[in-house]
Each structure stands twice: as C-alpha cells, then as structure tokens.
Amino acid sequence: MNYQHILNSIEASLKGENLNGKVPDYIPELANVSADKFGMHLYCASGDHFAFGDSEERFSIQSISKVFTLALAKKYGGTKIWKRVRVEPSGGPFNSLLQLENENGIPRNPFINAGSLVIADILISNLENPKKYLLEFVQKITGDPTIDYDYEVADSEEKNGYRNRGLVNYMKSLGNIENDVEEIVDFYFHQCSLKMSCHQLAKAFMLFANEGRMLETDELILKKNNVKRLNAVMQTCGFYDEAGEFSYRVGLPGKSGVGGGIAAIHPMEYSVAVWSPPLNKKGNSQKGMIALEQLTSMTESSIF
Amino acid sequence: MNYQHILNSIEASLKGENLNGKVPDYIPELANVSADKFGMHLYCASGDHFAFGDSEERFSIQSISKVFTLALAKKYGGTKIWKRVRVEPSGGPFNSLLQLENENGIPRNPFINAGSLVIADILISNLENPKKYLLEFVQKITGDPTIDYDYEVADSEEKNGYRNRGLVNYMKSLGNIENDVEEIVDFYFHQCSLKMSCHQLAKAFMLFANEGRMLETDELILKKNNVKRLNAVMQTCGFYDEAGEFSYRVGLPGKSGVGGGIAAIHPMEYSVAVWSPPLNKKGNSQKGMIALEQLTSMTESSIF
Amino acid sequence: MNYQHILNSIEASLKGENLNGKVPDYIPELANVSADKFGMHLYCASGDHFAFGDSEERFSIQSISKVFTLALAKKYGGTKIWKRVRVEPSGGPFNSLLQLENENGIPRNPFINAGSLVIADILISNLENPKKYLLEFVQKITGDPTIDYDYEVADSEEKNGYRNRGLVNYMKSLGNIENDVEEIVDFYFHQCSLKMSCHQLAKAFMLFANEGRMLETDELILKKNNVKRLNAVMQTCGFYDEAGEFSYRVGLPGKSGVGGGIAAIHPMEYSVAVWSPPLNKKGNSQKGMIALEQLTSMTESSIF
Amino acid sequence: MNYQHILNSIEASLKGENLNGKVPDYIPELANVSADKFGMHLYCASGDHFAFGDSEERFSIQSISKVFTLALAKKYGGTKIWKRVRVEPSGGPFNSLLQLENENGIPRNPFINAGSLVIADILISNLENPKKYLLEFVQKITGDPTIDYDYEVADSEEKNGYRNRGLVNYMKSLGNIENDVEEIVDFYFHQCSLKMSCHQLAKAFMLFANEGRMLETDELILKKNNVKRLNAVMQTCGFYDEAGEFSYRVGLPGKSGVGGGIAAIHPMEYSVAVWSPPLNKKGNSQKGMIALEQLTSMTESSIF
C-alpha cells in the first residue's frame, strides 16, 4: 500500500498549525527545541517506507525508551519481573507517588516513571553494562551505529532529577529496589536521553510490528509471544493518563515521550513514528496524536 | 477454522477444577448459582459456531450489559456523551467514589458503575421507554425474542443498591445527572439483570466483531466507526482494575460481569462468550479469564 | 473582667473592612444575607456579657448545630457512637467522600457532614421526635422559646442536597446507617437551618464553658466528663481543614458554620460567638476568625 | 499538689500488664529494648516532681525531638517557616507521601516526617552547626550536659532511611528543600537518636508548660507567644493519625515517639513524660497513652 498521499495529507492539514500545546521547559535541552518541528515516518511490513517533514532529525526520545528497556527486561529478567511491576493503566500522572503508597511500592506498569525505574534496576542486576548494552541493542535493531545518548540531556536531568530519586528511594524503602539509587537514576537518565529520528524509531518499532523479527534479515530478536504482550502493555499504558483516549481515537499500541515523539505499530502492517515538540496537558505530543488519529481514520486501519 | 478441538481442550483442562474464586454473595439470586457451571460459545465471522458445557444456560449478564447501553448511547446520545464520561481506565475498583471526587463528577469511563449510570441517564433523556428499547435491541441482535430481564434480581438490587444511589446522588450534586435518581437506578438494575446464555452473548457480540452488521442479514445496526471505538473502550476499560492484565494475557477487547460471564471479540474473526460464576479478587470470572487466555494462546490469535 | 473595650477595639479594627471572603451562594437564603453584617457576643462565667454590632440578629447557624446534636448523641447514644464515627481531624474538605471510601464508611469525626449525618441517624434511632427534641433543647439552654428552624432554608437544602444524600446512601451501603435516607437528611437539613443570634449562641455555648451546667440555675444538663470531650473534639475538628490553623492562631475549642457564625469557649472563663457572612477558602468566616484571634491575643487567654 | 499517689495508682494498674502493643523492629537498636520497661515522671510548676519505675533510664526519644527542632526553628527561622510547612493535622500516617503530592510539597505540619525534614532544612540554613546547637540546647534546658545522640541508632537509620530520603528528594523536586539531601537526613537521624529519660524529658518540657521560661532560673528561653503556638501544634498534630483520639481521651498537648516515649504538658500546671516501648497500631506508646488518660481522669485536669 502506498501511504505517501495519506502522509502528505496529514502534513498539509497540520504543518504550521499553531495548536495550544506547550514545549516542556523543565530542562533547557528540551526547552530550546523549535516548536515548529514536525516529521513522520511510516515503515510497512513490505519494506516500503514513507515520510514527511523533519523525519530525519534526531530528538530526545525520552519515555519511548521505556519500550526498549522493557523488551530487554523481558528477555533477561524473565517472568518474575511481573512480581515487581504490574501491567495496569495508572489512572494518574506519569510520576505519581500516590499509587506506590497505596500499593506497597509495586508500580502499576513499566511505562510510568516508577515502573521504568524498577525495570532499570532489573537490567542493572542482570546485565554487566546495561548502558552499553541498551545502546548496542538500539543500534542493532535500527542498523545505525551512530545512535547515541545525549550526554548533556542526561547530565541536566541528573542535576534536577529529585522526583525520580524520590521514587527510587521510596520503592527501596519498600523493598522493591536492589541496586544503588544513583546507579539506577544514572542509567535511567541516559536511556531517556537517547536521540533518534522518526525514521530510526519507525525502523526500531518494526520489531514489534513484525513479531520480534528484523525486517531485512528475518533475525529473531524477541520472542513472538513476548512481542504480543509488549504491544498489549503499550495499548493500555503507553500514554500516561491518556492511554484510553489514544486507544479510542487512534486504536494502535504505541508509546509517547516528552520530547514530542510518538511511536506506534499496527501488527503485521506497519510501524510509524511522529515528532512534534508541543505537548498537550497530559504530556503527549499534541500534533502527534492528531496526526496518528488522521492516519488510522484515513486508512481505516486501527486494530479494532 | 474449526475451533471445536480447541474448545474441547479448554474444557478438559478446566472443567471440575476448583480454583480459589468465589461466587459473589451480595444478592441471593447470584449466590445461589452453582459454582460448577462452565460453558463457552464461539461464533466465527464465517457463521460457524462452536461450544461446550453450559453454553445454552442463561445467567445474569450484569455489567456486560454496559456494552449494549453504551452502543445505544453512541447511537442516540451523540458525541456529547464524552463530555459527561471519559474513556480512561479507572485504575481503581468498579464502584469507586474517589475519582469522581477528584474529577468533578465526570466518571473515568462508561464501564465503571458511575459511568454506566451516566449512560443510563443519557438513555432516559433520549429514549421514550429505555427499558423496553434496550430489551428489544438485545432481542433483535440475538434474534431471540425470549430474552428478558430477571425481575427478581432487579428487585433485589433495588432493595440494596445504596452505593449506586450514592454515586448518582453525588454526580447529581456536581451537575452530571439530569433525571430522577430512582428512575436511573431502576433502569440500571434492570439492564444488569438481563439473562442470556453464552450462545446468545456470542451472537450479540458478533455485531462488534463484524463492523456493526448482523452476521446473517448484513443489516447495519451500528456504524463501523462507532464499533471500532466501542472495541477500543472494551480493550482499555472492560475489566475494572484488571483491564491491563486481561489485555496482557488475553489480548482481546471484552467485557466481564459479576454474574461470571465474559464476552470478547477478535475483529473480523470471531466473538466468544464464557461463563463460570466464581470470581477472582478483581471481580472477574476466574475460570473465564483462563479459558480465554488458553484460547488466544492456542490459536495465536490476540489482536496484538 | 470587663471585655467591652477589647470588643470595641476588635469592632473598630474590622468593621467595614472589605477582606476577600465570599458569601456562599449555593442556596438563595444564604446568598441574600448582607456581607456587611458583623456582630460578636461574649459571655463570662461570672454572668457578665459584652457585645457589639449585629449581635442580636439571628442567622443560619448551619454546622454549629453539629455541636448540639453531638451533645445529645453523647447523652442518648452512649459510648457506642464512637464505633460509628471517629474523633480524628479529617485532613480534607467537610463533605469529602474520599476518606469514607478508604475507611469503610466510618466518618473521621462528628463535625464533617458524613459524621453529623451518622449522629442524625443515631438521634433518630434513640429519640421519639428528634426534630422537636433538638429545638426544645436549644430553647432550654438559651432560655429563649422563640428560637426556631428556618423552614425555607431547610426546604431549599432538601431540594439541592444531593451530595448529602450521596453520603448517606454510601454509608448505608457500608452498613453504617440504620434509618431511612430521606428521614435522616430531613432532620439534618432542619438542624442546619436553626436561626440564632450571637447572643443566643454565646449563651448556649456557656454550657460547654461551664462544665455542663446552666449558668443561671446551675442545673446540670451535660456531664462534666462529656463536656470536656466535646470541647476536645471541637479543638481538633471544629474548623474543617483549618482546625490546626484555628488552634494555632486562636487557641480555643470552637465550631464554625457556613452561615458565617463561629462559637468558641475558654473553659471556666467565657463563651463567645461572632458572625460575619463572608467565608475564606476553607469555608470559615474570614472576619470571625480574625476577630477571635484578636480576642485571644489581646487577652492572652488561649487555653495553651 | 501531691501527685505521687496518683502515679502509684497508675503504676499499679498497668505495670506488668501485657497489652497487645508491639515494640518496633525496623532497626535493631529499638527492637532490642525490653517491652517491660515502664516509667513516668511528672514535674509541677511549683518545682515538685514525682515519678515511678524506669523514669531515670534513657531511651531513644525519636519524634519527640521534633518539638525541640520546631522550637529552634520558631526562634531562628521566623514566621516564614509557615510558608513551607502548615499546622494542620495530617489525617494520615506519619510518613505519608500522599498529601505531599496533593499539596505541592508543603507538608501538613512540622510533626510528620516530611514537615520535620523541612524544619531540619531550615535549621541547616540558619545555624552554623545545627547538630551541635540542638544538643547544647537540650543540655541547657534539662541542665544535664551528659545528654547525647546515640550514634549507633543514627547510623542504623542512615543505612535504612530510604523513605525519608524519598520524602526529601520529592520535596526538593517541588522546590521546598534548600540544602543537600544527605546533610538533611544526617541531621534528622541524629535528632531522632537523642537519648533522654522521662525525668529529663519532663524537665525539658516544663519550658512549654511555663511560658518559655526555665523553672529554676526564670530565664526566658522561648517567647510566651511562641510557646502557646507550639502547644497548639502539639495538641492538634502531636500523635500522627491519633491526635484527635489523644486530645479526646487525654486532653493535653503532647508529642510521642516510636521509642515508646510521650511527653505532655498542662500549661502553668505540670509537664509529664512516660515511657513504655510497645506501640499501638497508630505508632504511639500503648501503655503510655493509657497512663496519661488515667492521669487526667484522676486529676480531672485536662485543658478542656
């Protein structure tokens, strides 16, 4: 299927539109990105791909990285990870402490900060050098060895990341953290600082659309069964307190980041990534969500 | 595809198994149902259907009815219903008042009690005789005019339904209820008392698997676009505080009821209903969830 | 001690001052009261009394009535009332449902709405005609048989009192309500509609400053031990989510109402009532709190 | 007044009684204290004092120290401290994060952990060596230069104090912490480790019963006005989620610690300290609360 005219139509309807979203300002590296950036890249299971706008420019993928670390934790941490983090939608903001307190330090899902910090802890316990391992994993599944952490972003978050330290300390007090607090937040801030383009993200997410296999080589990277479950978690938990809204309007498993990126997949059909920095009140890319809603409306291709 | 051997295998593995679920005892009509009841019915888009056990015995569908009333509200209440109820997973038990208080009387989704009571209010405002209308709707989509409310169950719930009255009064105090409190709970208790078999439920849910059309006549009952969105809401909100778990383990849109029934669909593939009265701690049929997990594992047919 | 010059000084500093408080508008009978009303009355244990401003004008005492009903419940409901309502500060707004849900329908104290509704339920179970009994009790302790309910206010609240009905229904669902919901809210709305002047309130509260005895006749109305405990509950729970602030700034046991009244006592020293309709954000009379703070500052007479 | 026979009576009724309280076990230094320890010391404004049991044995005063640090913060931090911590009862457990999240990092009062950590931060900002200063202050008001920190207890808490670190990091993320996290918890764990006897605590608390003056020398240590307000905060917030119950049953301002100590005062009358390690479910000394209830019942001396 040729998606180019659909992407063109999305670009035409949204490019230059000044919606009321806001570029986050809590660290300078994110605040300084232009609000006008807008790009999209779609990869078909057939190998064809389509794009528009700033689809080759790299940006801070932030929480989208949580999908990669969860994939690694499934691979190396086994099923016992579900004793330390659940798979339920949070019904609250992404960095909430409330539910941790009500639920004995077991985060609701691996895509809220608390949950991803537990996943970081699991990777530190199971991998020799998780920071290096994660980077190589992402380089491999994108076929691009130039992908790297943005060390300034990581550094900036380390200087201000008291809330995440609060979460880790609190979970450690409840017995759900094994490793050193600073080691965990260091890994976590690095994973969030990964810089990737829409093109690279779409390629990486093809793994989840393609039952765990690399598209070009057919190499099996993740078990099919694990991929199905990762996708289920993206569907119910991928958009903070807007997961239901995204499921309702877009109807695809996906994951967003405060850098303005969203990656999503239609199993066996396509993977897609979109980037537009201004966020809506729930912390998801405002234009990105509309773009994906237009995509599944025009193609009538939601998973439902 | 012939699902009979798969259903046989599910029946063989679970029938007679005494898990630790509990039949709910808050009204005698539910408490008196045998914990051993177990049936399943699967309807294919091809028209074939398969079953085992007590699949023809009618039981109280309880909250599964919320899917039918939401479908009617989408049809007659228009898009403005989403100003009065959201589509986010609740992150809490089905009858919680907490979120109502934090969120100004707007229920998180139409499948928690508060949300379904708002839907009932909408139907009362838009239909002449919603109780009659709902019954005729269900009779039509199942092709079975003998389906009826269980007036003893409805009566029993009316005598004890103080929590639901609490919810309606509270939402009315916040301006989210238009009609008389007693009229709303009367409709609501009747909808929950509907008695249907797995066979009938599977047939009714085929509407959601078949883009809104009756399988035999191809008559369009619900718009395709509305059906996709109903399915999305089932996916993220259909199982109370276990929606993520169901999505993770089973991977189908569905809805459960405290009568022990679960109905689910695989778009364009099949609809399925299962019944086993003992509930797990989250209020969903324990055996029913395992049966559906076995189904999608054996057929490798989750939507992800 | 002659308090008149102190009262004069308070009147001089606050009369005509336009602070940023707001007269509540949820029922017309309260909304129509002039924001300029300001009066105070202080009764000494010696029998002397002092006043200024609108101290003889009757107003809706609203939640101040909760002290009278609690006194009656202590007298007729026995110690078992503390199994149905606690004596802890609520740490939340006066009509919150949150804590009810977390704490199994046992209200935190008898001065939040939920708690006072349980007290109403207790009086209905223990008194033949509680509405008549309460009125006669207040008439007796003030020596004024003209005190009456404001039936229009009660009627107005009955027409809009869905939140209180929500609370009662919810507690009934949890087993903490014995009587009919409408009977309880009818009694409750009447108790809140009591009209009294600062003079009458100060005289009534002298009972709590005087170890349970009528000042003029020395008649024992309430047990000394019960009075001490009533005063303790006023100290920790008398001002919704501002009880600590009142204790800190004023340092007297007391109780406020949304009609703009506050009554307080200094054990064995004096009782005092103040009235000014505009409320602060926490729902307490803004000018009334300042007036009482000035009183205890100038007299150096807090209980601490 | 001679209180000795009253103290004897309390000792007789409670000594050796095995109630269902539990000695806390989260650090070995507290867990190893004998559950049978029981002592009490009462200091009259006249200078007389009375005691029984283990009243001279030093124990870990834990949260009772929060009264001393608050007194110093009032002295050196000025009124602006009330912009960083409130004076409302918490309506929740002592180390809750819930309210911090709902209330923007401003703790409800200075006696919950979060609030006392803010007070520690204030002292670090205002005093050159707060750890030394606090120790000298306590030595001075007790007249006993041998009082010291228990460095093993402090060390043990530092090794496990992740929840308190969680609180400080979280408040720092919300802008309510100025100094280094580790410096704050180090000071905090030391203040909690202070070892004092009932005799010493009663003497120290006489300051609060005596309008801020040393009993023997009449030296003014704290302003009278500040002392009244400290006492008010003790009254409403001194016993975690049992402040109302203590006020109701005992009727004195006071403060408890998980080491099993409670110190309380009757303004201008007496100060009293009691020690019994087993705690009730709310974290207050079970026998200590009963002893104080007996004291105010037998002397009819509550402040109400």
Side-chain angles (χ1 to χ4, degrees):
Chain A
M1 182 166 173
N2 187 324
Y3 287 91
Q4 192 59 49
H5 67 284
I6 289 173
L7 265 61
N8 292 347
S9 159
I10 293 170
E11 183 182 25
S13 89
L14 291 172
K15 190 173 166 61
E17 280 300 305
N18 191 359
L19 308 170
N20 60 353
K22 285 201 177 140
V23 179
D25 57 5
Y26 71 96
I27 60 169
E29 289 77 5
L30 293 182
N32 293 337
V33 176
S34 163
D36 295 331
K37 296 293 181 185
F38 187 33
M40 194 166 181
H41 203 103
L42 186 147
Y43 237 93
C44 288
S46 65
D48 294 336
H49 53 114
F50 310 92
F52 70 70
D54 305 309
S55 68
E56 298 294 335
E57 185 167 337
R58 299 184 189 191
F59 56 91
S60 197
I61 69 165
Q62 294 289 323
S63 290
I64 301 174
S65 66
K66 294 170 180 172
V67 182
F68 301 137
T69 54
L70 177 59
L72 292 180
K74 289 278 298 177
K75 201 172 165 125
Y76 298 107
T79 56
K80 68 195 167 192
I81 71 173
W82 303 122
K83 293 192 175 154
R84 296 181 54 192
V85 59
R86 297 168 65 204
V87 291
E88 291 303 324
S90 69
F94 66 96
N95 51 10
S96 173
L97 286 93
L98 296 190
Q99 284 174 319
L100 277 185
E101 181 155 6
N102 281 337
E103 299 175 8
N104 292 315
I106 309 297
R108 291 223 115 207
N109 68 64
F111 292 159
I112 53 173
N113 286 17
S116 196
L117 288 159
V118 167
I119 296 298
D121 186 44
I122 288 169
L123 293 183
I124 290 169
S125 295
N126 284 283
L127 296 172
E128 191 125 351
N129 185 339
K131 219 171 357 177
K132 181 156 169 277
Y133 198 97
L134 171 64
L135 193 56
E136 290 171 354
F137 173 77
V138 175
Q139 289 169 343
K140 179 188 173 94
I141 63 175
T142 53
D144 190 334
T146 70
I147 289 176
D148 202 354
Y149 299 120
D150 183 327
Y151 296 94
E152 277 180 45
V153 167
D155 198 48
S156 202
E157 301 226 40
E158 292 218 46
K159 280 196 187 105
N160 296 287
Y162 295 107
R163 189 181 277 237
N164 286 316
R165 282 184 180 87
L167 288 166
V168 181
N169 273 294
Y170 186 66
M171 291 189 290
K172 194 169 175 85
S173 79
L174 291 167
N176 199 17
I177 290 292
E178 291 169 356
N179 295 288
D180 177 68
V181 175
E182 287 303 316
E183 193 177 353
I184 292 165
V185 296
D186 176 69
F187 175 64
Y188 179 76
F189 292 136
H190 277 85
Q191 84 173 56
C192 287
S193 82
L194 271 171
K195 284 191 91 163
M196 294 173 73
S197 67
C198 287
H199 188 158
Q200 291 163 337
L201 272 176
K203 200 160 177 200
F205 267 65
M206 181 44 77
L207 205 61
F208 308 115
N210 194 36
E211 300 188 332
R213 290 181 187 277
M214 299 277 283
L215 197 59
E216 285 118 347
T217 64
D218 209 41
E219 183 186 353
L220 186 75
I221 306 289
L222 303 169
K223 284 189 202 159
K224 177 179 173 183
N225 185 40
N226 279 354
V227 166
K228 277 180 170 289
R229 307 213 167 199
L230 273 171
N231 292 346
V233 181
M234 279 197 254
Q235 186 77 35
T236 48
C237 312
F239 294 83
Y240 309 127
D241 196 25
E242 205 171 32
E245 189 77 15
F246 188 80
S247 188
Y248 182 81
R249 284 168 46 192
V250 178
L252 298 178
K255 184 75 201 78
S256 67
V258 293
I262 302 177
I265 58 144
H266 192 307
M268 304 313 292
E269 300 278 339
Y270 59 76
S271 63
V272 60
V274 60
W275 177 46
S276 165
L279 308 181
N280 63 20
K281 284 182 186 166
K282 301 288 187 180
N284 299 309
S285 171
Q286 191 174 34
K287 207 172 273 188
M289 285 195 60
I290 298 171
L292 291 171
E293 187 179 4
Q294 292 188 356
L295 173 68
T296 55
S297 292
M298 285 192 270
T299 57
E300 295 197 319
S301 66
S302 99
I303 63 172
F304 302 113
Chain B
M1 182 167 172
N2 188 323
Y3 287 91
Q4 192 59 49
H5 68 284
I6 289 172
L7 265 62
N8 291 346
S9 159
I10 293 170
E11 184 182 25
S13 89
L14 292 171
K15 191 175 166 60
E17 279 301 305
N18 192 359
L19 309 171
N20 59 354
K22 285 202 179 142
V23 179
D25 56 6
Y26 70 96
I27 59 169
E29 289 78 4
L30 293 182
N32 292 337
V33 176
S34 163
D36 295 332
K37 296 293 180 184
F38 187 34
M40 194 167 183
H41 203 102
L42 185 147
Y43 238 92
C44 288
S46 65
D48 294 336
H49 52 116
F50 310 92
F52 70 69
D54 305 308
S55 69
E56 299 293 333
E57 185 168 335
R58 300 184 188 191
F59 57 91
S60 198
I61 69 166
Q62 294 289 322
S63 291
I64 301 175
S65 67
K66 293 170 179 173
V67 182
F68 301 137
T69 55
L70 178 60
L72 292 179
K74 290 277 298 177
K75 199 170 166 128
Y76 298 106
T79 55
K80 66 193 168 192
I81 71 174
W82 303 122
K83 293 191 173 155
R84 295 181 54 191
V85 59
R86 297 168 65 204
V87 293
E88 290 305 323
S90 69
F94 66 96
N95 51 10
S96 173
L97 287 93
L98 295 190
Q99 284 175 318
L100 278 184
E101 181 156 7
N102 282 336
E103 299 174 8
N104 293 313
I106 308 296
R108 292 222 115 207
N109 68 62
F111 292 158
I112 54 173
N113 286 18
S116 196
L117 288 159
V118 167
I119 296 298
D121 187 44
I122 288 169
L123 292 183
I124 290 169
S125 295
N126 284 283
L127 296 172
E128 192 125 352
N129 186 338
K131 218 170 0 177
K132 182 158 168 275
Y133 198 98
L134 171 64
L135 193 56
E136 289 172 356
F137 173 77
V138 174
Q139 288 169 345
K140 178 186 174 96
I141 63 175
T142 52
D144 190 335
T146 70
I147 289 175
D148 203 356
Y149 298 121
D150 184 326
Y151 296 94
E152 276 181 46
V153 167
D155 198 49
S156 201
E157 301 225 40
E158 292 218 45
K159 281 199 186 104
N160 297 286
Y162 294 107
R163 189 182 276 238
N164 285 314
R165 282 182 180 87
L167 288 167
V168 181
N169 273 293
Y170 186 66
M171 292 189 288
K172 194 169 175 82
S173 79
L174 292 167
N176 199 17
I177 289 292
E178 292 169 355
N179 296 288
D180 177 69
V181 175
E182 287 303 315
E183 193 177 352
I184 293 165
V185 297
D186 176 68
F187 175 64
Y188 178 78
F189 292 136
H190 277 85
Q191 84 173 56
C192 287
S193 81
L194 272 171
K195 285 193 87 163
M196 294 173 72
S197 67
C198 288
H199 188 159
Q200 292 163 336
L201 271 176
K203 201 159 177 200
F205 267 66
M206 180 45 76
L207 205 61
F208 309 116
N210 194 36
E211 300 187 335
R213 292 179 186 277
M214 299 276 285
L215 197 59
E216 285 118 347
T217 64
D218 210 40
E219 183 186 354
L220 186 77
I221 305 288
L222 302 169
K223 284 188 201 158
K224 178 179 172 183
N225 184 42
N226 279 355
V227 166
K228 277 180 170 288
R229 307 213 167 198
L230 273 171
N231 293 345
V233 181
M234 279 196 255
Q235 186 76 36
T236 48
C237 312
F239 294 83
Y240 310 126
D241 197 25
E242 204 170 33
E245 189 77 15
F246 188 81
S247 188
Y248 182 82
R249 285 167 45 191
V250 178
L252 299 178
K255 184 75 201 79
S256 68
V258 292
I262 302 177
I265 59 144
H266 193 306
M268 305 312 293
E269 300 279 339
Y270 58 77
S271 63
V272 60
V274 61
W275 177 45
S276 166
L279 308 181
N280 64 19
K281 284 180 185 168
K282 302 288 187 181
N284 298 309
S285 170
Q286 189 173 35
K287 207 172 273 189
M289 285 194 60
I290 297 170
L292 291 171
E293 187 179 6
Q294 292 188 356
L295 172 68
T296 56
S297 292
M298 285 192 270
T299 58
E300 296 198 321
S301 66
S302 100
I303 64 170
F304 303 112
Chain C
M1 181 166 172
N2 187 323
Y3 287 92
Q4 192 60 49
H5 68 284
I6 289 172
L7 265 62
N8 292 346
S9 159
I10 293 170
E11 184 182 25
S13 90
L14 290 173
K15 190 174 165 62
E17 280 300 306
N18 191 359
L19 308 171
N20 60 353
K22 286 205 176 138
V23 178
D25 56 5
Y26 70 96
I27 60 169
E29 289 77 6
L30 293 181
N32 292 337
V33 176
S34 164
D36 294 332
K37 296 291 181 186
F38 187 33
M40 195 168 182
H41 203 103
L42 185 148
Y43 237 92
C44 287
S46 65
D48 295 335
H49 52 115
F50 310 92
F52 70 70
D54 305 308
S55 69
E56 299 293 334
E57 184 167 336
R58 299 184 188 191
F59 57 92
S60 197
I61 70 166
Q62 294 290 322
S63 290
I64 302 175
S65 67
K66 293 170 180 172
V67 183
F68 301 137
T69 55
L70 177 59
L72 292 179
K74 290 277 298 177
K75 201 172 165 124
Y76 298 107
T79 54
K80 67 192 166 193
I81 71 172
W82 302 122
K83 293 192 174 154
R84 295 182 53 191
V85 58
R86 299 167 65 204
V87 293
E88 290 305 323
S90 68
F94 65 96
N95 51 12
S96 174
L97 287 94
L98 296 191
Q99 284 175 319
L100 278 184
E101 182 156 5
N102 281 337
E103 299 174 8
N104 292 316
I106 309 296
R108 292 222 114 206
N109 68 64
F111 293 158
I112 53 172
N113 286 18
S116 196
L117 288 159
V118 167
I119 297 297
D121 187 44
I122 289 168
L123 293 183
I124 290 169
S125 295
N126 284 284
L127 296 172
E128 191 127 350
N129 186 338
K131 220 172 354 179
K132 182 157 169 275
Y133 197 97
L134 171 64
L135 193 57
E136 290 172 354
F137 173 77
V138 174
Q139 289 170 343
K140 179 186 174 95
I141 63 175
T142 53
D144 190 335
T146 70
I147 288 176
D148 203 355
Y149 298 120
D150 184 326
Y151 296 94
E152 276 179 46
V153 167
D155 198 48
S156 202
E157 301 226 40
E158 292 218 45
K159 280 197 186 105
N160 297 286
Y162 294 107
R163 190 181 276 237
N164 285 315
R165 282 182 180 90
L167 289 166
V168 181
N169 273 295
Y170 186 66
M171 291 189 289
K172 194 169 175 82
S173 79
L174 292 167
N176 198 17
I177 290 291
E178 291 169 356
N179 295 288
D180 177 69
V181 174
E182 287 302 315
E183 194 177 352
I184 292 164
V185 296
D186 176 69
F187 175 64
Y188 179 76
F189 292 136
H190 277 85
Q191 84 174 57
C192 287
S193 81
L194 271 171
K195 285 193 88 163
M196 295 174 72
S197 68
C198 286
H199 188 159
Q200 291 162 338
L201 271 176
K203 201 159 176 200
F205 267 66
M206 181 44 77
L207 206 61
F208 309 116
N210 194 36
E211 300 187 333
R213 290 180 188 277
M214 298 277 283
L215 197 59
E216 284 117 347
T217 63
D218 211 41
E219 182 185 354
L220 187 76
I221 305 288
L222 302 169
K223 285 189 200 158
K224 178 180 171 182
N225 184 41
N226 279 354
V227 166
K228 276 179 171 290
R229 307 214 167 196
L230 273 172
N231 293 345
V233 182
M234 279 195 255
Q235 185 77 36
T236 48
C237 312
F239 294 83
Y240 309 127
D241 196 25
E242 204 171 33
E245 189 77 15
F246 188 81
S247 188
Y248 182 81
R249 285 168 46 191
V250 178
L252 299 178
K255 184 75 200 79
S256 68
V258 292
I262 302 177
I265 59 143
H266 193 306
M268 304 312 292
E269 300 279 340
Y270 59 76
S271 62
V272 60
V274 60
W275 177 45
S276 165
L279 308 181
N280 63 21
K281 283 181 186 167
K282 301 288 188 182
N284 298 308
S285 171
Q286 190 174 34
K287 207 172 273 188
M289 286 195 60
I290 298 171
L292 291 172
E293 187 179 7
Q294 292 188 355
L295 173 69
T296 55
S297 292
M298 286 192 270
T299 57
E300 296 197 320
S301 65
S302 99
I303 62 171
F304 302 113
Chain D
M1 182 167 173
N2 187 322
Y3 286 91
Q4 192 60 50
H5 68 284
I6 289 172
L7 264 61
N8 291 346
S9 160
I10 293 170
E11 184 182 25
S13 89
L14 291 172
K15 191 175 164 61
E17 280 300 305
N18 191 359
L19 309 171
N20 59 353
K22 285 204 177 141
V23 179
D25 56 4
Y26 70 96
I27 59 169
E29 288 79 3
L30 293 182
N32 292 339
V33 176
S34 163
D36 295 332
K37 296 292 181 185
F38 187 32
M40 195 167 183
H41 203 103
L42 186 148
Y43 237 93
C44 288
S46 65
D48 294 336
H49 53 115
F50 310 93
F52 70 70
D54 305 308
S55 68
E56 299 293 336
E57 184 166 337
R58 299 184 189 191
F59 57 92
S60 197
I61 69 165
Q62 294 289 324
S63 289
I64 302 175
S65 67
K66 293 170 180 173
V67 182
F68 301 137
T69 55
L70 177 60
L72 291 180
K74 290 278 298 176
K75 201 171 166 127
Y76 298 107
T79 55
K80 68 194 166 191
I81 70 172
W82 302 123
K83 293 191 175 156
R84 295 181 54 192
V85 59
R86 297 168 66 205
V87 292
E88 291 304 324
S90 69
F94 66 96
N95 51 11
S96 174
L97 286 94
L98 295 191
Q99 284 175 316
L100 276 185
E101 181 156 6
N102 281 336
E103 299 175 7
N104 292 313
I106 309 297
R108 292 224 112 205
N109 68 63
F111 292 158
I112 53 173
N113 286 18
S116 196
L117 288 159
V118 167
I119 296 298
D121 187 44
I122 288 169
L123 293 183
I124 290 169
S125 294
N126 284 282
L127 295 172
E128 192 125 351
N129 187 338
K131 219 170 0 178
K132 182 157 168 275
Y133 198 97
L134 171 64
L135 192 56
E136 290 172 355
F137 173 77
V138 174
Q139 289 169 344
K140 179 188 174 94
I141 63 175
T142 52
D144 189 334
T146 70
I147 288 176
D148 203 355
Y149 298 121
D150 184 325
Y151 296 94
E152 275 181 47
V153 167
D155 197 48
S156 202
E157 301 227 38
E158 292 218 45
K159 281 199 187 105
N160 297 286
Y162 294 107
R163 190 182 275 237
N164 286 315
R165 282 182 180 90
L167 289 167
V168 181
N169 273 294
Y170 186 65
M171 291 190 288
K172 194 169 176 81
S173 79
L174 292 166
N176 199 17
I177 289 291
E178 291 169 356
N179 295 288
D180 178 68
V181 175
E182 287 303 315
E183 193 177 353
I184 292 165
V185 297
D186 176 68
F187 175 63
Y188 179 77
F189 293 136
H190 277 85
Q191 84 173 57
C192 287
S193 81
L194 272 170
K195 286 192 88 164
M196 295 173 71
S197 68
C198 288
H199 188 160
Q200 292 162 336
L201 271 176
K203 201 160 177 199
F205 267 65
M206 180 45 77
L207 206 61
F208 308 115
N210 194 36
E211 300 187 333
R213 290 180 188 279
M214 299 277 284
L215 198 59
E216 284 117 348
T217 63
D218 210 40
E219 183 185 355
L220 186 75
I221 305 288
L222 302 169
K223 285 190 201 157
K224 178 179 172 183
N225 185 41
N226 279 354
V227 166
K228 277 179 171 289
R229 307 212 167 199
L230 273 172
N231 293 346
V233 181
M234 279 196 255
Q235 186 77 35
T236 48
C237 312
F239 293 83
Y240 310 125
D241 196 25
E242 205 170 34
E245 189 78 14
F246 188 80
S247 189
Y248 183 82
R249 284 168 46 191
V250 178
L252 299 178
K255 184 74 202 82
S256 68
V258 293
I262 302 177
I265 58 142
H266 194 306
M268 305 311 293
E269 300 279 340
Y270 59 76
S271 62
V272 60
V274 61
W275 176 45
S276 166
L279 308 180
N280 64 21
K281 284 181 186 168
K282 302 287 187 181
N284 299 307
S285 170
Q286 189 173 35
K287 208 173 273 189
M289 286 196 58
I290 298 170
L292 291 171
E293 186 179 7
Q294 292 187 357
L295 172 68
T296 56
S297 293
M298 285 192 271
T299 57
E300 295 197 321
S301 67
S302 100
I303 63 170
F304 302 111

